[in-house]
Amino acid sequence: MKKNLGILGLLVAVCVVTAFLSGSFLSAYNVENVLRRSALFGILSIGVGFVIITGGIDLSLGSVVCLVGCALPWLLTVQLWPLPLALLAVAAVSLGIGLFHGLLITKLRIQPFIVTLCGLLLYRGIARGFTADQTVGFGNEFKTLRLLATGKVPFLPGFELPAPLIFLALVAILAAIFLNRTIFGRYLLALGRNPQAATYSGIPTQRMTILAYVISSGLAGLGGVLFVLDVNSAQPVDFGNFYELYAIAAAVLGGCSLRGGEGSVVGILIGAALMQVLRNMITLVTTRNNVEFAIIGAVILLGVVADELARRIAARRRAAHVLETAGVR
Amino acid sequence: MAKPLLEARRVSKSFAGVRALKEVSLTVYPGEVLAVVGENGAGKSTLMKILAGVQSPDSGELLVEDVVRTIGSVQEALSLGIALIHQELNLAETLDVGANIFLGREPHCCGWVDAGRISKEARLVLERVGLKVDPSTLVGDLTIGQQQLVEIAKALSVDARVLIMDEPTSSLSDHETKVLLSLIRELRGRGVGIVYISHRLGEVGGLADRVEVLRDGENAGSLLGNEISHGAMVQLMVGRELSQFYPHQSHQTGEVVLEVRGLRTRAYPGQAVDFQLRAGEVVGMAGLVGAGRSELLEALFGVVPALQGSVRVSGELVSPRSPRAAMDAGIALVPEDRKHQGLFLEMGVRENLSIATLHKEQAGGFLNRTKEKALCEEMIPSMRIKTAGVDQPVQFLSGGNQQKVVIGKWLATRPSVFLLDEPTRGVDIGAKQEIYRLMEELAAKGAAVLFVSSDLEEILGMSDRVLVLHEGRLSGELHRSELSEEAVMRLATGEQTEAAAI
């Protein structure tokens, strides 16, 4: 928990600064909006967090969001599939993609970066293919279904919680329990720390790695469904574009090390929220949306550098302490 | 006496808070062989690295011919005439022998490498070390022993006045060793100061003019001329009589626990290995580096499954296709490389101790934290693991305590076959004895213990029986009554003996 204090402080600071600079930041409408976006990106970030914890990377999830986000309205409105079948199909596709990645990475030992980079190109290409680059959407139909993403749950007088936040809460609780309370979570963390020692300890490393990619793609699929329900339509050319980078950045900001073995669900959630507050701040405070990437990039870099510096100081202190106690002995 | 070539005065060095050297002093005179001996982890290699500029000392000073110098890099050491032959080979396998010998100081003409000169001069130094290969041979195609000789040729080619050799014979055959020893004597005759580190005390006794003994990072004493004897060195090394050091007792051996038939490993597919282990036995496995000992253990533990052969544990056929399968059959392996294969360095003692038994203690996939805590409460005191707490990351533990954590994690699986690969490498003397005691206890409780070691003292001191491997083949088996350093080395270097027929 202590590790997350830094990033939590940064989140609070950005919120305070934004509230100070823009009167509309704390309006109920804006808060709901930021929460909704944070929830949607939070789901993706938790997914990619599992992969990062094993020491891998998943670059494909923006394209999985695109594939699922296009496939669902396309199956429902163009192919006229019944709803349960369409949902089952997109679930199967996204989980199948994870399995496919996991098998390539563990059995053929292809590097995760390459596998998922190809996935990034492949799945968007497929989506653009079957939609013929045309926007697909629900139009005025499926209003009830869309409530899963657009709906609101009464919370405080004059303030309602956006529905995706409920999904995020469920996902986050399950993920936290999985990571911290089950033997599989422990295996994932151990595998990320030292894959060789994990093998020598009898951990089924291949199965655990595959599982991480299935979780990542599966949550990307869930995210894709919620994203398209939220915005009603998807343009295959840019739907979900760069989402993998937002998700990876959130996970890294939240304390996941790309070296593997480190990361907490709470940290990832804070990281995802920070990303969305930053984007919101840029929209509210500046009139120039085109600096968005520059600002986000700079803030992430600052956060990661500060974290690394703090870690070094802690390590130096600990070494000095050990030396001291050794000297006494 | 002549002016010293090289002198270290009160040199200290620590790594991440662990003191490796404490005010160690050493003097090297011209025309002598100074042997530096000590247990694993006594600080020999660290001291040599400091002398050769690989590492710099935290305090103390270095004098080259009575002038205080800071030796900041290997280049600087070489220019002062000090060359180190590493224990681990430092050769570029994809380059040829000549290129390796002149690596970093190629004779050249306006940037063009003078290949002819390299070839000519390489041939000369290769001849001196008695290595009959062409300078254009790729280093990767040589045996480990030949590579070691290339390393020595490389040091010779710089005309070093102080030549430091860190375990130069550990991977040489008998013949190669003899050539090297006569070369050392020749260099000594020409006034070179030689610092010689070896575990093989027999070798040291026959070669050294002076012996400096290190123990736990400090000078433990030195021996001159006639004082040099096996017993005297060991006594200084361990600080007590050898017979008290190894807690070996003769065991009541029982049923055959492990039976291996026709096992072929990927490293040596041409050699089928057969052997048995009985309950209550401590069996040592000796052999040179690269003899296939670790590969054999890894095949038994399913890390790199064997190509062929049968493995029976207590009469039951098992097929160790994965470590988990081997564990289920009652086999445990304490791997050779503690830091990379044995431990999760950043994780706590608790998580490291429980990792191999989590799947047995689970409740529907959930961690059983009570059991995990109970395991720590049992293991930490019973194995005397010195740690600040159960959640202390194991990277902050000493080598000995780290090794105890690895052993503890496997004790928790209650194995009937306990395999240990170099169990005391890089471990201080106190922990070493505790590890021996644990091996004894395991055997007394009826497990079969098989350990691989490159430390002959340890093999001789701890084994009821010794299996010797030579290039993947089981070249012989020696019972405790037949054990001697010479007998083991004969089998390890592949010399035929009648004993092999047993």
Side-chain angles (χ1 to χ4, degrees):
Chain A
M1 198 59 231
K2 215 167 159 189
K3 277 188 60 186
N4 295 325
L5 282 180
I7 170 88
L8 188 63
L10 188 58
L11 175 63
V12 171
V14 173
C15 286
V16 169
V17 169
T18 317
F20 185 71
L21 292 177
S22 161
S24 50
F25 178 69
L26 288 177
S27 70
Y29 171 78
N30 191 57
V31 170
E32 273 174 37
N33 197 28
V34 170
L35 282 178
R36 183 190 312 280
R37 304 295 289 178
S38 301
L40 291 170
F41 278 100
I43 291 170
L44 300 185
S45 305
I46 289 173
V48 79
F50 274 94
V51 166
I52 292 176
I53 281 170
T54 68
I57 193 80
D58 192 345
L59 298 174
S60 73
L61 54 88
S63 294
V64 173
V65 166
C66 172
L67 180 64
V68 168
C70 294
L72 186 65
W74 183 73
L75 288 175
L76 291 174
T77 60
V78 181
Q79 301 297 312
L80 302 174
W81 282 26
L83 179 63
L85 199 60
L87 286 176
L88 206 64
V90 294
V93 165
S94 44
L95 295 172
I97 285 174
L99 181 65
F100 176 60
H101 290 166
L103 288 173
L104 286 175
I105 289 160
T106 56
K107 303 293 177 191
L108 288 185
R109 293 168 193 256
I110 305 175
Q111 286 171 348
F113 190 96
I114 305 294
V115 169
T116 58
L117 179 66
C118 295
L120 178 149
L121 300 169
L122 187 60
Y123 311 133
R124 182 171 300 277
I126 292 174
R128 289 178 64 173
F130 69 73
T131 56
D133 257 356
Q134 297 304 303
T135 303
V136 282
F138 300 106
N140 283 324
E141 313 201 13
F142 298 102
K143 285 260 155 95
T144 345
L145 178 65
R146 289 194 54 212
L147 282 178
L148 287 177
T150 57
K152 287 170 188 174
V153 184
F155 185 59
L156 292 171
F159 181 74
E160 295 167 312
L161 287 180
L165 209 57
I166 311 294
F167 279 99
L168 176 71
L170 269 176
V171 168
I173 289 167
L174 288 178
I177 290 174
F178 184 84
L179 202 56
N180 300 316
R181 298 282 161 159
T182 70
I183 64 168
F184 309 111
R186 181 69 65 77
Y187 285 172
L188 279 177
L189 288 163
L191 169 65
R193 287 287 187 196
N194 187 344
Q196 210 184 350
T199 305
Y200 277 84
S201 301
I203 294 174
T205 49
Q206 299 203 339
R207 249 178 288 164
M208 296 315 299
T209 306
I210 294 171
L211 179 66
Y213 284 91
V214 169
I215 290 174
S216 178
S217 290
L219 287 180
L222 174 63
V225 169
L226 293 176
F227 270 113
V228 75
L229 291 177
D230 182 34
V231 296
N232 198 22
S233 67
Q235 255 186 320
V237 182
D238 67 354
F239 191 67
N241 226 357
F242 287 127
Y243 282 16
E244 63 281 339
L245 298 184
Y246 286 119
I248 292 167
V252 171
L253 271 178
C256 291
S257 163
L258 288 179
R259 280 183 288 262
E262 265 179 282
S264 71
V265 174
V266 176
I268 295 172
L269 291 181
I270 301 172
L274 177 60
M275 293 293 297
Q276 296 313 312
V277 173
L278 273 176
R279 291 177 75 184
N280 187 240
M281 176 185 86
I282 292 159
T283 327
L284 291 180
V285 175
T286 70
T287 48
R288 299 175 55 187
N289 271 336
N290 45 13
V291 295
E292 180 185 328
F293 284 139
I295 292 181
I296 290 178
V299 170
I300 294 174
L301 200 56
L302 269 177
V304 176
V305 168
D307 186 52
E308 185 59 40
L309 290 180
R311 203 176 305 202
R312 283 194 190 180
I313 291 167
R316 205 167 303 161
R317 266 192 208 149
R318 193 146 33 171
H321 177 73
V322 172
L323 252 186
E324 227 164 73
T325 47
V328 169
R329 248 197 297 131
Chain B
M1 219 164 188
K3 221 165 65 168
L5 284 174
L6 177 65
E7 195 178 349
R9 283 190 191 155
R10 301 165 70 83
V11 165
S12 297
K13 177 81 184 170
S14 302
F15 297 103
V18 180
R19 212 178 282 275
L21 289 177
K22 196 174 166 193
E23 306 204 334
V24 172
S25 300
L26 191 79
T27 316
V28 188
Y29 293 100
E32 70 160 357
V33 175
L34 168 66
V36 179
V37 300
E39 294 277 319
N40 286 329
K44 294 167 296 181
S45 292
T46 308
L47 180 60
M48 297 310 125
K49 282 180 185 163
I50 286 173
L51 294 180
V54 180
Q55 280 158 356
S56 50
D58 296 342
S59 65
E61 52 190 19
L62 300 174
L63 291 85
V64 180
E65 293 181 270
D66 288 341
V67 182
V68 178
R69 302 270 189 179
T70 48
I71 306 178
S73 69
V74 179
Q75 288 303 333
E76 237 169 288
L78 283 175
S79 68
L80 293 167
I82 304 164
L84 168 67
I85 299 164
H86 279 274
Q87 186 175 354
E88 301 95 17
L89 294 167
N90 270 326
L91 298 171
E93 298 204 343
T94 51
L95 295 181
D96 66 31
V97 171
N100 266 287
I101 290 175
F102 288 96
L103 197 63
R105 44 186 188 85
E106 291 82 358
H108 59 85
C109 173
C110 343
W112 293 95
V113 174
D114 187 347
R117 220 177 113 198
I118 287 188
S119 168
K120 209 174 82 195
E121 291 184 15
R123 242 176 258 278
L124 285 176
V125 285
L126 287 175
E127 203 171 299
R128 283 178 67 193
V129 299
L131 182 59
K132 293 182 194 73
V133 299
D134 194 85
S136 63
T137 316
L138 283 190
V139 163
D141 294 337
L142 302 179
T143 66
I144 305 267
Q146 290 174 320
Q147 293 186 12
Q148 185 78 55
L149 292 174
V150 172
E151 188 86 78
I152 292 163
K154 188 173 162 183
L156 284 184
S157 72
V158 300
D159 268 330
R161 280 178 303 159
V162 178
L163 193 55
I164 304 167
M165 301 183 163
D166 196 352
E167 302 268 0
T169 56
S170 63
S171 47
L172 297 189
S173 73
D174 218 26
H175 172 70
E176 290 167 328
T177 303
K178 278 181 192 147
V179 173
L180 178 67
L181 295 186
S182 68
L183 177 68
I184 290 174
R185 292 196 179 95
E186 180 211 316
L187 290 169
R188 170 172 63 185
R190 293 202 283 135
V192 177
I194 292 152
V195 185
Y196 190 86
I197 300 175
S198 181
H199 267 120
R200 299 193 191 160
L201 298 184
E203 208 172 274
V204 168
L207 183 70
D209 302 304
R210 209 151 56 85
V211 175
E212 187 67 48
V213 184
L214 295 185
R215 184 170 69 227
D216 282 342
E218 295 181 59
N219 289 98
S222 48
L223 301 167
L224 243 175
N226 291 337
E227 297 166 4
I228 301 172
S229 72
H230 191 275
M233 285 189 275
V234 171
Q235 199 160 346
L236 284 174
M237 276 163 66
V238 303
R240 73 209 90 175
E241 294 277 345
L242 185 65
S243 54
Q244 294 161 10
F245 187 61
Y246 293 104
H248 180 271
Q249 291 161 355
S250 54
H251 302 110
Q252 282 288 54
T253 55
E255 300 286 296
V256 172
V257 180
L258 180 76
E259 186 173 7
V260 177
R261 288 248 164 273
L263 195 80
R264 290 173 195 271
T265 62
R266 272 166 219 231
Y268 288 100
Q271 303 287 2
V273 175
D274 305 84
F275 67 92
Q276 291 183 341
L277 298 180
R278 290 180 177 276
E281 252 191 323
V282 176
V283 177
M285 183 170 271
L288 301 179
V289 172
R293 297 169 298 171
S294 298
E295 290 79 0
L296 186 60
L297 295 195
E298 287 181 351
L300 289 174
F301 193 61
V303 180
V304 183
L307 296 172
Q308 213 182 52
S310 71
V311 178
R312 283 172 198 274
V313 177
S314 306
E316 223 169 291
L317 196 65
V318 296
S319 85
R321 306 305 306 169
S322 70
R324 182 63 71 79
M327 284 156 70
D328 291 342
I331 304 174
L333 169 67
V334 174
E336 181 181 14
D337 187 340
R338 177 168 64 239
K339 288 189 172 146
H340 294 111
Q341 301 167 335
L343 293 169
F344 303 95
L345 287 173
E346 302 90 347
M347 296 175 89
V349 172
R350 174 173 57 92
E351 287 152 313
N352 273 285
L353 276 175
S354 66
I355 194 81
T357 35
L358 285 180
H359 66 290
K360 283 191 186 161
E361 309 290 8
Q362 63 174 322
F366 283 89
L367 293 171
N368 189 333
R369 296 193 169 198
T370 329
K371 285 267 177 67
E372 199 179 15
K373 205 172 141 221
L375 175 68
C376 296
E377 280 166 2
E378 180 200 332
M379 286 295 173
I380 293 174
S382 78
M383 302 195 57
R384 294 186 221 151
I385 299 171
K386 281 185 211 114
T387 168
V390 290
D391 287 318
Q392 171 91 341
V394 292
Q395 59 183 328
F396 299 117
L397 267 50
S398 71
N401 284 302
Q402 288 182 346
Q403 189 69 328
K404 286 192 234 167
V405 170
V406 181
I407 295 175
K409 125 179 155 187
W410 291 113
L411 283 179
T413 67
R414 312 207 179 286
S416 50
V417 179
F418 212 101
L419 311 174
L420 302 103
D421 200 348
E422 304 282 2
T424 62
R425 181 177 284 176
V427 156
D428 64 78
I429 290 188
K432 216 166 186 177
Q433 257 196 318
E434 289 181 47
I435 289 168
Y436 296 143
R437 189 178 50 83
L438 283 166
M439 286 162 61
E440 282 292 314
E441 274 177 24
L442 266 166
K445 282 185 196 152
V449 178
L450 176 65
F451 75 103
V452 160
S453 177
S454 299
D455 184 347
L456 269 182
E457 296 289 324
E458 183 172 294
I459 291 273
L460 300 184
M462 283 304 296
S463 314
D464 293 315
R465 194 154 60 92
V466 174
L467 302 171
V468 188
L469 280 187
H470 171 68
E471 291 178 1
R473 186 174 59 90
L474 205 55
S475 58
E477 180 181 340
L478 297 162
H479 288 272
R480 190 158 180 84
S481 55
E482 311 163 300
L483 277 179
S484 70
E485 206 164 310
E486 295 73 33
V488 174
M489 283 316 295
R490 255 202 314 276
L491 290 171
T493 54
E495 281 178 40
Q496 296 298 327
T497 60
E498 288 82 4
I502 296 170

